[in-house]
Amino acid sequence: MNKLIQWIEKAALAVCASAVLIMMVIGSIDIVMGNVLGFYISYKVELSGTLLATSIFLACSPVQRGNEHIRVDLFEHYMGDKTRKMTAFLGNLCGLLFVGLISYGLWNQAFKSVMIFEASADTSGFLIWPWKLACPIGTSLCVLTIGGQLIQQIFTSSSLKESK
C-alpha cells in the first residue's frame, strides 16, 4: 500500500511540476511578446490561477509526509515531551478536519466542473475541468497521509505506555 501511495505522489508531483513549467513558459512568452510586439496573452491570468491552485494541492501530501510545511516553533523548545506530542497530535487532528473539509468542497466543485466540461471563459477555451479534478485528488492524498500519521501517533504513544 505504501508503494502505491508513493507512486501516486510521484505522479502528482510530476503533474505539479508540469503545471509550474507551463506557468513559467506562458509567463515568459507573455512578457517577451508584450515588450517586443505590444501583444499580451489574454488567458495568462486564468491559466496561471488554475495551474497555481493545482500545484499547491498536488504538492500537499508529500509536504505533509516530510513535515516540511511552514511551522511556528516559537515555544516548542520550552515544552516537555508530552506537550510536544500532544500539540503534534492536535495539529494533525485539526489538519485532518480542515483539509478534509477542503477536499470535500473541492470534490463537489470538480464533479460540477466535469459534468459541464468546464473551459476557460476567455478566447482560448482551454479546459479547466482536468485541473479542477487534480485539486481534490491532491487534497485526498493529503487526508490519507494525515490519517496515517494520526494512526501512527496513536499506536506509537500506546505502545510506549505499554512498555513502561
Side-chain angles (χ1 to χ4, degrees), residues 35-112:
N35 288 326
V36 174
L37 302 174
F39 174 75
Y40 294 94
I41 299 174
S42 63
Y43 58 89
K44 69 179 175 287
V45 174
E46 192 167 9
L47 178 68
S48 295
T50 303
L51 296 179
L52 181 62
T54 301
S55 299
I56 290 169
F57 289 121
L58 286 176
C60 185
S61 180
V63 168
Q64 177 65 32
R65 181 180 308 285
N67 199 20
E68 297 169 342
H69 43 76
I70 296 173
R71 184 181 177 118
V72 179
D73 56 358
L74 208 57
F75 302 109
E76 196 168 273
H77 60 279
Y78 294 115
M79 295 180 191
D81 193 41
K82 286 183 182 179
T83 307
R84 251 185 264 138
K85 286 180 182 177
M86 183 55 83
T87 57
F89 180 78
L90 289 174
N92 277 342
L93 196 60
C94 289
L96 184 66
L97 173 69
F98 293 125
V99 176
L101 288 172
I102 290 169
S103 184
Y104 175 77
L106 286 173
W107 276 114
N108 285 334
Q109 189 178 32
F111 284 134
K112 290 175 186 173

Side-chain angles (χ1 to χ4, degrees), residues 15-36:
V15 173
C16 177
S18 301
V20 171
L21 178 66
I22 293 168
M23 279 191 300
M24 290 177 10
V25 169
I26 293 294
S28 299
I29 291 171
D30 181 60
I31 291 169
V32 170
M33 284 178 55
N35 288 326
V36 174

